[in-house]
Structure formats: structure tokens, C-alpha cells
Amino acid sequence: DMDVNLAWDFVKGNQNVTVAVFDTGVDSLHPDLSGNLIRGYNANSNNNTVTTDPGYHGTCTIGIIGARTNNNIGISGIVGGDNGSNHCKICSYRLVTDDGLFISDVNIARAFDTARVRGVHVSSNSWGGGTPSTTLMNAINNCAINGRGGLGCVILFSSGNNGRNPPNYPSYLPNVVCIG
């Protein structure tokens, strides 16, 4: 329970803010999400088409963040706005193949470079682990520091799932916020 309702006393979202969810994709036809979705990026095929989610994890994560509020469908997302107004723009950055397997660090780095150039405000990453990669670390740092025309991008990474070990790579990088 995040007690998001307390934050909603101040703001429920802002249409000038773009949140990119780096994950398995999105069900772009989901009725609780489609009104808040904007063009995403498919790092597997290097194009702007993200309409499916073979793992469904991305759709769930996007829902927690951006599902529309007060529309009598599903849940209310953190920044989903009030029935279509005052919501943040949400986009999916798909990091998996059609079989649901994660792509190479080089392709994921290209996704961070794309987010930096497009001016994404927040990057949400509910994934991690693996061997540290200089290419990926450089792309994450570049997005965090130089995104939005030099203003920077807030990059969030999950710390890991079991709650007992130290945070997983890349959540411990100095220019990201580790969420556990």
C-alpha cells in the first residue's frame, strides 16, 4: 500500500510529464490504459510499435503507474489522472523478444538513448540482474544526466524481489533511484 491517495490531494498527474516503462511491452488495447498511452519504443525491432506484451508484466506495471482513475474500470494508477484529465503520458519501452526473452544489453542501451533523445521525464524499470555492462551503464547514466535536453531523467529500478539481498544490478548505480 503506497498511500497514493495522500499525494492525490496535491496532484494526480500532469499531461506535460512522460513516464516510460522499460519492461515486456503493453497491451495497447487495454481499456484502462489506452487513453493514457503514447508512442513507445520496441528495442527488439528498433521501431516505435509496441502493441503487445508477451510477458504481461509490462502491462501490469504500466497499470500500477498510469491506469485511468474514476472510470469504473480496473484500478486507479498512481498518475492516471481523473477520468482522462490531469494524467501523465505513459509509454512502453519493450525490452523482450516475441518469445518474452530479454534482449541484449546493446539493444537495451539503445532504448535508454532513445528515451534520452525523446525527453522522457521518468524511466520505470522493474527488472534487473545479470552481469554489469559498460555499454548499458553508460546509456543509463547518459539518460539520467543528459535527458530532457540536459535537465536529466529520473530513473527508477527495482532492487530485487526477495528483500533480503543487496540491490541487484543496475539498481545500485549512482544515477538511479533504487526502489525496494
Side-chain angles (χ1 to χ4, degrees), residues 110-148:
R110 186 173 55 212
F112 277 97
D113 289 338
T114 301
R116 175 185 50 80
V117 170
R118 289 186 181 173
V120 166
H121 294 81
V122 178
S123 167
S124 174
N125 299 270
S126 295
W127 56 274
T131 304
S133 157
T134 301
T135 300
L136 182 54
M137 285 189 287
N138 288 341
I140 291 169
N141 288 331
N142 194 20
C143 185
I145 296 166
N146 299 312
R148 295 186 313 124

mmCIF file of all heavy atoms in Angstrom, residues 110-148:
data_model
loop_
_atom_site.group_PDB
_atom_site.id
_atom_site.type_symbol
_atom_site.label_atom_id
_atom_site.label_comp_id
_atom_site.label_asym_id
_atom_site.label_seq_id
_atom_site.Cartn_x
_atom_site.Cartn_y
_atom_site.Cartn_z
ATOM 1 N N ARG A 110 20.287 1.079 -26.348
ATOM 2 C CA ARG A 110 19.664 1.886 -27.405
ATOM 3 C C ARG A 110 18.311 2.418 -26.940
ATOM 4 O O ARG A 110 17.935 3.542 -27.267
ATOM 5 C CB ARG A 110 19.523 1.057 -28.683
ATOM 6 C CG ARG A 110 19.026 1.863 -29.860
ATOM 7 C CD ARG A 110 19.044 1.079 -31.149
ATOM 8 N NE ARG A 110 18.289 -0.151 -31.026
ATOM 9 C CZ ARG A 110 18.573 -1.271 -31.675
ATOM 10 N NH1 ARG A 110 19.604 -1.331 -32.483
ATOM 11 N NH2 ARG A 110 17.826 -2.349 -31.518
ATOM 12 N N ALA A 111 17.588 1.650 -26.144
ATOM 13 C CA ALA A 111 16.303 2.114 -25.613
ATOM 14 C C ALA A 111 16.517 3.314 -24.681
ATOM 15 O O ALA A 111 15.759 4.287 -24.742
ATOM 16 C CB ALA A 111 15.597 0.980 -24.871
ATOM 17 N N PHE A 112 17.525 3.256 -23.825
ATOM 18 C CA PHE A 112 17.813 4.398 -22.943
ATOM 19 C C PHE A 112 18.247 5.620 -23.757
ATOM 20 O O PHE A 112 17.878 6.753 -23.437
ATOM 21 C CB PHE A 112 18.863 4.033 -21.891
ATOM 22 C CG PHE A 112 18.281 3.328 -20.711
ATOM 23 C CD1 PHE A 112 18.323 1.944 -20.627
ATOM 24 C CD2 PHE A 112 17.662 4.036 -19.688
ATOM 25 C CE1 PHE A 112 17.762 1.280 -19.552
ATOM 26 C CE2 PHE A 112 17.096 3.382 -18.604
ATOM 27 C CZ PHE A 112 17.147 2.003 -18.538
ATOM 28 N N ASP A 113 19.013 5.395 -24.814
ATOM 29 C CA ASP A 113 19.407 6.508 -25.681
ATOM 30 C C ASP A 113 18.186 7.133 -26.347
ATOM 31 O O ASP A 113 18.086 8.355 -26.467
ATOM 32 C CB ASP A 113 20.406 6.037 -26.743
ATOM 33 C CG ASP A 113 21.778 5.716 -26.160
ATOM 34 O OD1 ASP A 113 22.096 6.220 -25.063
ATOM 35 O OD2 ASP A 113 22.524 4.961 -26.809
ATOM 36 N N THR A 114 17.238 6.293 -26.761
ATOM 37 C CA THR A 114 16.009 6.789 -27.379
ATOM 38 C C THR A 114 15.200 7.601 -26.374
ATOM 39 O O THR A 114 14.685 8.677 -26.697
ATOM 40 C CB THR A 114 15.176 5.619 -27.930
ATOM 41 O OG1 THR A 114 15.967 4.918 -28.899
ATOM 42 C CG2 THR A 114 13.885 6.083 -28.567
ATOM 43 N N ALA A 115 15.092 7.117 -25.147
ATOM 44 C CA ALA A 115 14.367 7.855 -24.099
ATOM 45 C C ALA A 115 15.018 9.198 -23.828
ATOM 46 O O ALA A 115 14.336 10.214 -23.652
ATOM 47 C CB ALA A 115 14.302 7.020 -22.822
ATOM 48 N N ARG A 116 16.344 9.226 -23.801
ATOM 49 C CA ARG A 116 17.073 10.477 -23.576
ATOM 50 C C ARG A 116 16.756 11.487 -24.669
ATOM 51 O O ARG A 116 16.413 12.632 -24.385
ATOM 52 C CB ARG A 116 18.580 10.207 -23.531
ATOM 53 C CG ARG A 116 19.431 11.474 -23.417
ATOM 54 C CD ARG A 116 20.923 11.169 -23.496
ATOM 55 N NE ARG A 116 21.315 10.329 -24.605
ATOM 56 C CZ ARG A 116 21.497 10.745 -25.853
ATOM 57 N NH1 ARG A 116 21.310 12.013 -26.170
ATOM 58 N NH2 ARG A 116 21.869 9.899 -26.797
ATOM 59 N N VAL A 117 16.813 11.049 -25.915
ATOM 60 C CA VAL A 117 16.571 11.947 -27.050
ATOM 61 C C VAL A 117 15.114 12.413 -27.085
ATOM 62 O O VAL A 117 14.831 13.568 -27.396
ATOM 63 C CB VAL A 117 16.955 11.247 -28.379
ATOM 64 C CG1 VAL A 117 16.491 12.043 -29.579
ATOM 65 C CG2 VAL A 117 18.455 11.010 -28.426
ATOM 66 N N ARG A 118 14.191 11.543 -26.727
ATOM 67 C CA ARG A 118 12.765 11.897 -26.753
ATOM 68 C C ARG A 118 12.333 12.761 -25.572
ATOM 69 O O ARG A 118 11.209 13.242 -25.535
ATOM 70 C CB ARG A 118 11.908 10.630 -26.788
ATOM 71 C CG ARG A 118 11.978 9.909 -28.107
ATOM 72 C CD ARG A 118 11.009 8.768 -28.142
ATOM 73 N NE ARG A 118 11.082 8.059 -29.412
ATOM 74 C CZ ARG A 118 10.436 6.936 -29.665
ATOM 75 N NH1 ARG A 118 9.658 6.397 -28.725
ATOM 76 N NH2 ARG A 118 10.554 6.353 -30.828
ATOM 77 N N GLY A 119 13.173 12.915 -24.575
ATOM 78 C CA GLY A 119 12.838 13.790 -23.459
ATOM 79 C C GLY A 119 11.951 13.170 -22.403
ATOM 80 O O GLY A 119 11.180 13.872 -21.737
ATOM 81 N N VAL A 120 12.075 11.865 -22.204
ATOM 82 C CA VAL A 120 11.307 11.180 -21.159
ATOM 83 C C VAL A 120 11.669 11.771 -19.800
ATOM 84 O O VAL A 120 12.835 12.027 -19.508
ATOM 85 C CB VAL A 120 11.601 9.660 -21.208
ATOM 86 C CG1 VAL A 120 11.117 8.953 -19.972
ATOM 87 C CG2 VAL A 120 10.998 9.051 -22.473
ATOM 88 N N HIS A 121 10.673 12.007 -18.967
ATOM 89 C CA HIS A 121 10.890 12.576 -17.635
ATOM 90 C C HIS A 121 11.276 11.515 -16.600
ATOM 91 O O HIS A 121 12.111 11.756 -15.738
ATOM 92 C CB HIS A 121 9.632 13.288 -17.143
ATOM 93 C CG HIS A 121 9.284 14.497 -17.936
ATOM 94 N ND1 HIS A 121 8.615 14.433 -19.136
ATOM 95 C CD2 HIS A 121 9.509 15.797 -17.700
ATOM 96 C CE1 HIS A 121 8.434 15.649 -19.611
ATOM 97 N NE2 HIS A 121 8.980 16.504 -18.755
ATOM 98 N N VAL A 122 10.577 10.362 -16.658
ATOM 99 C CA VAL A 122 10.776 9.293 -15.678
ATOM 100 C C VAL A 122 10.887 7.973 -16.425
ATOM 101 O O VAL A 122 10.095 7.697 -17.332
ATOM 102 C CB VAL A 122 9.602 9.215 -14.676
ATOM 103 C CG1 VAL A 122 9.794 8.070 -13.692
ATOM 104 C CG2 VAL A 122 9.421 10.536 -13.941
ATOM 105 N N SER A 123 11.856 7.146 -16.034
ATOM 106 C CA SER A 123 12.019 5.800 -16.578
ATOM 107 C C SER A 123 11.799 4.813 -15.440
ATOM 108 O O SER A 123 12.541 4.810 -14.459
ATOM 109 C CB SER A 123 13.419 5.638 -17.172
ATOM 110 O OG SER A 123 13.706 4.283 -17.425
ATOM 111 N N SER A 124 10.764 3.979 -15.577
ATOM 112 C CA SER A 124 10.461 2.966 -14.569
ATOM 113 C C SER A 124 10.957 1.616 -15.068
ATOM 114 O O SER A 124 10.591 1.178 -16.160
ATOM 115 C CB SER A 124 8.948 2.919 -14.321
ATOM 116 O OG SER A 124 8.632 1.858 -13.458
ATOM 117 N N ASN A 125 11.773 0.950 -14.251
ATOM 118 C CA ASN A 125 12.393 -0.319 -14.627
ATOM 119 C C ASN A 125 12.174 -1.357 -13.539
ATOM 120 O O ASN A 125 12.828 -1.301 -12.498
ATOM 121 C CB ASN A 125 13.898 -0.114 -14.842
ATOM 122 C CG ASN A 125 14.185 0.871 -15.939
ATOM 123 O OD1 ASN A 125 14.313 0.496 -17.085
ATOM 124 N ND2 ASN A 125 14.279 2.151 -15.588
ATOM 125 N N SER A 126 11.268 -2.281 -13.777
ATOM 126 C CA SER A 126 11.001 -3.353 -12.808
ATOM 127 C C SER A 126 11.699 -4.622 -13.250
ATOM 128 O O SER A 126 11.098 -5.686 -13.380
ATOM 129 C CB SER A 126 9.492 -3.586 -12.681
ATOM 130 O OG SER A 126 8.870 -2.469 -12.132
ATOM 131 N N TRP A 127 12.968 -4.510 -13.510
ATOM 132 C CA TRP A 127 13.791 -5.637 -13.940
ATOM 133 C C TRP A 127 15.213 -5.375 -13.458
ATOM 134 O O TRP A 127 15.534 -4.283 -13.022
ATOM 135 C CB TRP A 127 13.775 -5.792 -15.468
ATOM 136 C CG TRP A 127 14.196 -4.563 -16.216
ATOM 137 C CD1 TRP A 127 13.410 -3.513 -16.590
ATOM 138 C CD2 TRP A 127 15.526 -4.221 -16.624
ATOM 139 N NE1 TRP A 127 14.162 -2.548 -17.213
ATOM 140 C CE2 TRP A 127 15.467 -2.952 -17.262
ATOM 141 C CE3 TRP A 127 16.759 -4.859 -16.522
ATOM 142 C CZ2 TRP A 127 16.590 -2.326 -17.782
ATOM 143 C CZ3 TRP A 127 17.881 -4.229 -17.053
ATOM 144 C CH2 TRP A 127 17.780 -2.976 -17.678
ATOM 145 N N GLY A 128 16.050 -6.373 -13.543
ATOM 146 C CA GLY A 128 17.442 -6.201 -13.154
ATOM 147 C C GLY A 128 18.140 -7.532 -13.049
ATOM 148 O O GLY A 128 17.561 -8.589 -13.298
ATOM 149 N N GLY A 129 19.389 -7.465 -12.689
ATOM 150 C CA GLY A 129 20.208 -8.656 -12.573
ATOM 151 C C GLY A 129 21.139 -8.800 -13.755
ATOM 152 O O GLY A 129 21.207 -7.954 -14.637
ATOM 153 N N GLY A 130 21.873 -9.864 -13.764
ATOM 154 C CA GLY A 130 22.812 -10.114 -14.840
ATOM 155 C C GLY A 130 24.167 -9.495 -14.567
ATOM 156 O O GLY A 130 24.411 -8.882 -13.529
ATOM 157 N N THR A 131 25.042 -9.653 -15.533
ATOM 158 C CA THR A 131 26.398 -9.150 -15.432
ATOM 159 C C THR A 131 26.437 -7.673 -15.810
ATOM 160 O O THR A 131 25.863 -7.290 -16.831
ATOM 161 C CB THR A 131 27.320 -9.943 -16.384
ATOM 162 O OG1 THR A 131 27.215 -11.327 -16.059
ATOM 163 C CG2 THR A 131 28.757 -9.492 -16.253
ATOM 164 N N PRO A 132 27.075 -6.840 -15.007
ATOM 165 C CA PRO A 132 27.177 -5.419 -15.371
ATOM 166 C C PRO A 132 27.791 -5.228 -16.755
ATOM 167 O O PRO A 132 28.718 -5.928 -17.135
ATOM 168 C CB PRO A 132 28.071 -4.842 -14.272
ATOM 169 C CG PRO A 132 27.838 -5.734 -13.093
ATOM 170 C CD PRO A 132 27.675 -7.116 -13.696
ATOM 171 N N SER A 133 27.243 -4.278 -17.484
ATOM 172 C CA SER A 133 27.668 -3.983 -18.840
ATOM 173 C C SER A 133 28.040 -2.505 -18.932
ATOM 174 O O SER A 133 27.230 -1.644 -18.594
ATOM 175 C CB SER A 133 26.524 -4.296 -19.808
ATOM 176 O OG SER A 133 26.647 -3.574 -21.010
ATOM 177 N N THR A 134 29.245 -2.220 -19.393
ATOM 178 C CA THR A 134 29.685 -0.835 -19.542
ATOM 179 C C THR A 134 28.796 -0.086 -20.521
ATOM 180 O O THR A 134 28.421 1.071 -20.286
ATOM 181 C CB THR A 134 31.154 -0.787 -20.008
ATOM 182 O OG1 THR A 134 31.947 -1.465 -19.027
ATOM 183 C CG2 THR A 134 31.642 0.634 -20.165
ATOM 184 N N THR A 135 28.420 -0.728 -21.613
ATOM 185 C CA THR A 135 27.563 -0.092 -22.622
ATOM 186 C C THR A 135 26.234 0.316 -22.014
ATOM 187 O O THR A 135 25.777 1.450 -22.200
ATOM 188 C CB THR A 135 27.333 -1.054 -23.810
ATOM 189 O OG1 THR A 135 28.592 -1.379 -24.385
ATOM 190 C CG2 THR A 135 26.413 -0.439 -24.852
ATOM 191 N N LEU A 136 25.617 -0.587 -21.262
ATOM 192 C CA LEU A 136 24.329 -0.285 -20.647
ATOM 193 C C LEU A 136 24.479 0.758 -19.544
ATOM 194 O O LEU A 136 23.679 1.702 -19.460
ATOM 195 C CB LEU A 136 23.681 -1.559 -20.113
ATOM 196 C CG LEU A 136 22.299 -1.400 -19.484
ATOM 197 C CD1 LEU A 136 21.321 -0.699 -20.424
ATOM 198 C CD2 LEU A 136 21.756 -2.759 -19.059
ATOM 199 N N MET A 137 25.492 0.633 -18.715
ATOM 200 C CA MET A 137 25.700 1.615 -17.643
ATOM 201 C C MET A 137 25.897 3.014 -18.222
ATOM 202 O O MET A 137 25.343 3.986 -17.711
ATOM 203 C CB MET A 137 26.898 1.227 -16.768
ATOM 204 C CG MET A 137 26.615 0.079 -15.836
ATOM 205 S SD MET A 137 27.929 -0.219 -14.628
ATOM 206 C CE MET A 137 29.203 -0.942 -15.652
ATOM 207 N N ASN A 138 26.676 3.127 -19.291
ATOM 208 C CA ASN A 138 26.891 4.434 -19.920
ATOM 209 C C ASN A 138 25.596 5.018 -20.459
ATOM 210 O O ASN A 138 25.344 6.221 -20.327
ATOM 211 C CB ASN A 138 27.939 4.331 -21.029
ATOM 212 C CG ASN A 138 29.338 4.123 -20.495
ATOM 213 O OD1 ASN A 138 29.623 4.383 -19.332
ATOM 214 N ND2 ASN A 138 30.222 3.643 -21.353
ATOM 215 N N ALA A 139 24.751 4.182 -21.060
ATOM 216 C CA ALA A 139 23.480 4.664 -21.602
ATOM 217 C C ALA A 139 22.538 5.106 -20.486
ATOM 218 O O ALA A 139 21.862 6.133 -20.603
ATOM 219 C CB ALA A 139 22.826 3.579 -22.456
ATOM 220 N N ILE A 140 22.487 4.348 -19.397
ATOM 221 C CA ILE A 140 21.645 4.718 -18.249
ATOM 222 C C ILE A 140 22.127 6.051 -17.667
ATOM 223 O O ILE A 140 21.332 6.961 -17.420
ATOM 224 C CB ILE A 140 21.644 3.604 -17.178
ATOM 225 C CG1 ILE A 140 20.908 2.368 -17.705
ATOM 226 C CG2 ILE A 140 21.026 4.095 -15.875
ATOM 227 C CD1 ILE A 140 21.074 1.129 -16.839
ATOM 228 N N ASN A 141 23.424 6.158 -17.440
ATOM 229 C CA ASN A 141 23.980 7.398 -16.882
ATOM 230 C C ASN A 141 23.751 8.583 -17.805
ATOM 231 O O ASN A 141 23.419 9.678 -17.350
ATOM 232 C CB ASN A 141 25.471 7.232 -16.592
ATOM 233 C CG ASN A 141 25.726 6.349 -15.399
ATOM 234 O OD1 ASN A 141 24.917 6.278 -14.484
ATOM 235 N ND2 ASN A 141 26.850 5.665 -15.411
ATOM 236 N N ASN A 142 23.925 8.390 -19.099
ATOM 237 C CA ASN A 142 23.722 9.464 -20.062
ATOM 238 C C ASN A 142 22.268 9.934 -20.054
ATOM 239 O O ASN A 142 21.991 11.138 -20.090
ATOM 240 C CB ASN A 142 24.146 9.003 -21.453
ATOM 241 C CG ASN A 142 24.295 10.141 -22.427
ATOM 242 O OD1 ASN A 142 24.441 11.298 -22.050
ATOM 243 N ND2 ASN A 142 24.265 9.810 -23.703
ATOM 244 N N CYS A 143 21.343 8.990 -19.977
ATOM 245 C CA CYS A 143 19.918 9.351 -19.914
ATOM 246 C C CYS A 143 19.622 10.101 -18.613
ATOM 247 O O CYS A 143 18.933 11.122 -18.617
ATOM 248 C CB CYS A 143 19.064 8.090 -20.032
ATOM 249 S SG CYS A 143 17.288 8.393 -20.117
ATOM 250 N N ALA A 144 20.160 9.593 -17.505
ATOM 251 C CA ALA A 144 19.903 10.218 -16.199
ATOM 252 C C ALA A 144 20.442 11.643 -16.139
ATOM 253 O O ALA A 144 19.781 12.540 -15.604
ATOM 254 C CB ALA A 144 20.523 9.378 -15.084
ATOM 255 N N ILE A 145 21.605 11.871 -16.695
ATOM 256 C CA ILE A 145 22.260 13.172 -16.576
ATOM 257 C C ILE A 145 21.871 14.126 -17.708
ATOM 258 O O ILE A 145 21.637 15.310 -17.473
ATOM 259 C CB ILE A 145 23.796 12.983 -16.533
ATOM 260 C CG1 ILE A 145 24.178 12.211 -15.266
ATOM 261 C CG2 ILE A 145 24.517 14.319 -16.595
ATOM 262 C CD1 ILE A 145 25.594 11.685 -15.271
ATOM 263 N N ASN A 146 21.783 13.618 -18.926
ATOM 264 C CA ASN A 146 21.606 14.477 -20.099
ATOM 265 C C ASN A 146 20.227 14.422 -20.730
ATOM 266 O O ASN A 146 19.978 15.124 -21.714
ATOM 267 C CB ASN A 146 22.659 14.126 -21.158
ATOM 268 C CG ASN A 146 24.054 14.355 -20.635
ATOM 269 O OD1 ASN A 146 24.354 15.395 -20.070
ATOM 270 N ND2 ASN A 146 24.913 13.364 -20.799
ATOM 271 N N GLY A 147 19.344 13.587 -20.213
ATOM 272 C CA GLY A 147 17.993 13.511 -20.758
ATOM 273 C C GLY A 147 17.259 14.836 -20.620
ATOM 274 O O GLY A 147 17.696 15.733 -19.893
ATOM 275 N N ARG A 148 16.158 14.975 -21.330
ATOM 276 C CA ARG A 148 15.339 16.198 -21.327
ATOM 277 C C ARG A 148 16.185 17.442 -21.606
ATOM 278 O O ARG A 148 16.082 18.453 -20.928
ATOM 279 C CB ARG A 148 14.567 16.355 -20.020
ATOM 280 C CG ARG A 148 13.553 15.276 -19.799
ATOM 281 C CD ARG A 148 12.681 15.486 -18.580
ATOM 282 N NE ARG A 148 13.422 15.852 -17.397
ATOM 283 C CZ ARG A 148 13.187 16.962 -16.686
ATOM 284 N NH1 ARG A 148 12.219 17.778 -17.004
ATOM 285 N NH2 ARG A 148 13.899 17.226 -15.607
#
